[in-house]
Amino acid sequence: MQKTAFPLGATLRYLAIALYVLFALFPIYWLIKIAVTPDRLIYTEGTQIWPSTFTLDNFVSVLFLTDFLVYFKNSMIVSLGTAFFTTLVATAAGYAFSRFHFRGKAIIIALMLITQMFPLLMIIAPIYKIMAGLRLLDSLTGLIIVYTAFNVPFATFLMQGFFDGIPKDLEEAAMIDGCTRFTALRKVIFPLTLPGLAATLGFIFTAAWSELLFALMLINSDDKMTFPVGLKTFVSKFAVDWGQMMAAGTLALIPSCLFFILIQRFLVKGLTAGAVKG
Amino acid sequence: MTAITLNSINKRFGPVHVLKDISLEFNKGEFVVLVGPSGCGKSTLLRMIAGLEPVSAGDMIFGDTRVNDLEPRDRDIAMVFQSYALYPHMDVERNLGFSLELRKRAAAEKKERTSHAAGILGLDKLLDRFPRALSGGQRQRVAMGRAIVRDPQIFLFDEPLSNLDAALRIEMRIEIAKLHRRLGTTMVYVTHDQVEAMTLADRIVVMNAGQVEQVGTPLDLYSNPANLFVAGFLGSPKMNFVAYDDPALNLPSALTNPSAQTYGIRPEHIKVTAPDKNAHLVGTIDVVERLGSDTIFYINHGADKPFVVRVPGIDRTAIGEKIGCQFQPEDLHLFDQDGQAISEHKNG
């Protein structure tokens, strides 16, 4: 229908989008390409778009000859745990910031912002000390606590934004209809916040999944390593096993992708459409 | 019988004193309209009646029960919001029946009451639609239906028509009037639109700056405004105010009053005459609005604000012409230096 109207603008727009997508996806393509390239061809055919021979050997060795599955499991536990607890705390805090006026609100918000201003490197030593004192070094629980603490401020602001987007009238109508504040939250506000919850869960999951610094500092033993730390084991003193490393990286993409496929229907929908005047 | 009694109600938001000693009584089955300019506190008062805002001081009594500390859900009220506040994730039927669902009523009763309300408002065919698939007027009906289903003691309306276009607003205004006649429930209605106030209300409460200026029937307020504010707020076009010493004013001594600082006369109570010595006020036509049913003249008589005259039908008098105005003594409103109406004049 639009074709006759003015195709040039649309074409340019799609071209721009296509270029951007190409740019964004190229590293992932390269990751997969190296993963399926036989070791002996990695350097000789390094710059070719697709290797002359194709192999899944790297995947097989990563899955069965390395500790990859352990790292993977640990990362799963840490990321899911972090996403769950962060979202739980952030939802409650975001709701409070959005709906209630209380003494010290501005100070709490300012403090939460301040925590986001320090480079992680600056605070890694004190965190190490605290975790040591709590006997939480080299433990997945410790990692979940640290990740949750560091992600809560951002997630809270994110959730507050979503709550701010839901008209107060809806809760008030529900409270007049017979809800307590909590039932109004559960029956009216919560279903409308699903896109926000999904976005927050997705964001925090990905952040925890790819975090390296804390995991590197706080975890020592092989059986507690998360995936990003484990990836370093493919770098030995004398060589880097590129093929296996890329195969592991490819596999590590799967959970994030699955997670986003799962939540994307909540992300896309504008659930509040039609709530108030239109 | 009294449905709602407000006893010296005060509301403070921090240092801001929003409502000052409001004392009112609303009778059972009465349609009361709270009207006033933006920020006068009328919506806040309604929200306090609903239980959505705590009362800072004073007593709020429904029937014989003090409700200051009752939650909204325990007050047996229903409220129609300006924004409609429909639950976007529920279809029309569930929106209507949500209050019954919360009260765990039997499915059959829910069905019956929902379809009864839908019948009254012509929503029968829309029951499986979601709010996003409804037009503004339909959403407004659902919001009203949600209130009807409850069968509450008191209906509260917070500027329910202000988001609708002019034609729909008139249609819904008539629906609300019919609804009140049909249900006979006490209704409290907030608006800044004086036409809604005049047409719907049994009694109007005119509010300004957190205080009640005057309470009365629409025609009472129109004919006997207690002060300059009420006089200027109700009526369209607004009442003309002329200072007692305005040189353009030429009132016979029988019409004057020594304590009057301001004379008020409604545009529709003015007779256009020749600009001779019998005219009570003389000026030049600055602007003419011909509405078909009426003609409105904006007359420049040397003061800051034009003197507005409304005559019925089409009047061909042109811009720039000099005309005279005459008023009947009983149509003249006199106000003292505090802006209060001087009532002796009206009676004598």
Side-chain angles (χ1 to χ4, degrees), chain A residues 20-237:
Chain A
Y20 173 74
V21 170
L22 199 71
F23 179 75
L25 288 182
F26 189 77
I28 294 174
Y29 165 73
W30 209 248
L31 183 84
I32 296 169
K33 183 220 134 181
I34 303 276
V36 297
T37 305
D39 274 347
R40 60 194 163 80
L41 297 181
I42 279 187
Y43 293 103
T44 52
E45 295 185 3
T47 52
Q48 281 183 23
I49 285 297
W50 195 250
S52 51
T53 357
F54 168 90
T55 177
L56 289 177
D57 285 354
N58 288 324
F59 288 95
V60 175
S61 3
V62 162
L63 284 175
F64 301 108
L65 303 177
T66 67
D67 284 337
F68 176 81
L69 287 177
V70 177
Y71 307 150
F72 195 86
K73 185 193 79 189
N74 290 340
S75 262
M76 266 321 235
I77 294 171
V78 171
S79 303
L80 285 176
T82 307
F84 175 77
F85 288 112
T86 306
T87 309
L88 196 72
V89 177
T91 306
Y95 183 74
F97 284 148
S98 168
R99 291 298 196 257
F100 302 127
H101 295 284
F102 49 88
R103 204 181 293 263
K105 180 171 160 179
I107 295 171
I108 296 175
I109 291 179
L111 279 175
M112 286 174 81
L113 267 179
I114 288 172
T115 62
Q116 303 292 292
M117 292 175 187
F118 296 97
L120 290 185
L121 273 174
M122 239 176 88
I123 42 177
I124 193 99
I127 291 284
Y128 187 90
K129 194 110 171 95
I130 293 170
M131 296 314 272
L134 293 170
R135 296 178 184 283
L136 283 172
L137 284 180
D138 200 22
S139 106
L140 295 181
T141 316
L143 217 49
I144 292 176
I145 293 173
V146 173
Y147 286 176
T148 303
F150 276 91
N151 282 307
V152 155
F154 180 78
T156 300
F157 294 133
L158 204 63
M159 284 310 295
Q160 184 191 349
F162 284 109
F163 283 120
D164 284 345
I166 297 175
K168 260 186 173 179
D169 284 359
L170 284 183
E171 277 162 293
E172 294 183 341
M175 281 159 70
I176 287 176
D177 264 350
C179 289
T180 58
R181 186 171 274 282
F182 188 72
T183 13
L185 180 66
R186 190 163 58 84
K187 293 204 165 196
V188 176
I189 304 305
F190 184 72
L192 300 176
T193 324
L194 284 179
L197 280 174
T200 309
L201 275 172
F203 182 84
I204 304 301
F205 180 88
T206 322
W209 186 261
S210 54
E211 205 284 336
L212 174 65
L213 191 63
F214 280 116
L216 199 61
M217 292 299 166
L218 301 177
I219 302 286
N220 304 317
S221 53
D222 265 3
D223 63 332
K224 295 282 168 47
M225 274 182 192
T226 57
F227 174 75
V229 185
L231 210 55
K232 274 172 47 69
T233 57
F234 293 101
V235 182
S236 66
K237 210 165 184 182

Side-chain angles (χ1 to χ4, degrees), chain A residues 169-170 172 176-177 187, chain B residues 47 83 86-87 89 103 150:
Chain A
D169 284 359
L170 284 183
E172 294 183 341
I176 287 176
D177 264 350
K187 293 204 165 196
Chain B
R47 290 171 55 79
S83 63
L86 302 182
Y87 310 123
H89 55 304
R103 285 176 173 75
R150 290 275 310 282

Side-chain angles (χ1 to χ4, degrees), chain B residues 152-333:
Chain B
Q153 289 291 318
I154 300 163
F155 263 80
L156 305 174
F157 294 90
D158 188 7
E159 309 211 17
L161 307 184
S162 51
N163 286 336
L164 302 178
D165 63 48
L168 206 52
R169 197 179 301 176
I170 295 171
E171 194 183 307
M172 292 306 291
R173 203 169 72 203
I174 295 167
E175 295 254 356
I176 292 176
K178 278 192 198 160
L179 193 70
H180 179 241
R181 216 176 324 142
R182 183 171 184 153
L183 303 176
T185 317
T186 312
M187 296 188 174
V188 184
Y189 188 107
V190 162
T191 182
H192 61 264
D193 181 326
Q194 47 145 323
V195 181
E196 279 172 33
M198 294 295 283
T199 51
L200 288 170
D202 292 325
R203 276 197 305 157
I204 296 179
V205 177
V206 183
M207 294 181 65
N208 183 31
Q211 281 171 320
V212 173
E213 295 282 349
Q214 194 177 358
V215 185
T217 64
L219 292 183
D220 192 25
L221 297 192
Y222 176 82
S223 312
N224 302 307
N227 52 41
L228 278 173
F229 179 80
V230 178
F233 192 76
L234 293 177
S236 175
K238 281 180 164 190
M239 184 187 278
N240 294 296
F241 296 117
V242 184
Y244 76 102
D245 55 356
D246 191 314
L249 199 61
N250 169 35
L251 286 179
S253 55
L255 288 184
T256 55
N257 182 317
S259 49
Q261 289 284 311
T262 311
Y263 293 94
I265 179 82
R266 294 204 182 274
E268 54 272 31
H269 293 153
I270 297 165
K271 204 173 115 193
V272 175
T273 64
D276 53 23
K277 63 178 171 49
N278 290 327
H280 296 152
L281 186 134
V282 173
T284 317
I285 299 176
D286 249 358
V287 179
V288 182
E289 291 175 343
R290 294 196 177 85
L291 308 175
S293 59
D294 300 299
T295 305
I296 298 169
F297 295 116
Y298 293 84
I299 296 168
N300 181 355
H301 63 292
D304 297 345
K305 285 191 177 162
F307 193 78
V308 185
V309 178
R310 181 155 104 183
V311 294
I314 300 168
D315 190 310
R316 301 278 177 199
T317 315
I319 292 175
E321 278 189 44
K322 209 171 182 186
I323 59 167
C325 304
Q326 266 187 354
F327 346 113
Q328 296 300 310
E330 65 270 22
D331 291 331
L332 209 55
H333 300 265

Side-chain angles (χ1 to χ4, degrees), chain B residues 92-93 96-97 100 107-125 127 141-142 144-152 155 175 178-179 181-185:
Chain B
V92 169
E93 185 168 10
L96 291 174
L100 302 177
E109 184 194 346
K110 210 164 76 183
K111 186 99 192 156
E112 189 209 315
R113 284 168 70 171
T114 309
S115 46
H116 174 70
I120 292 179
L121 294 164
L123 293 169
D124 316 63
K125 295 202 170 62
L127 287 178
R141 272 171 220 270
V142 177
M144 275 166 45
R146 200 164 60 179
I148 294 173
V149 167
R150 290 275 310 282
D151 190 19
F155 263 80
E175 295 254 356
K178 278 192 198 160
L179 193 70
R181 216 176 324 142
R182 183 171 184 153
L183 303 176
T185 317

Side-chain angles (χ1 to χ4, degrees), chain B residues 5-9 20-26 205 212 215:
Chain B
T5 310
L6 307 178
N7 246 338
S8 302
I9 294 285
K20 297 158 196 156
D21 272 331
I22 306 276
S23 292
L24 291 166
E25 283 192 353
F26 303 155
V205 177
V212 173
V215 185

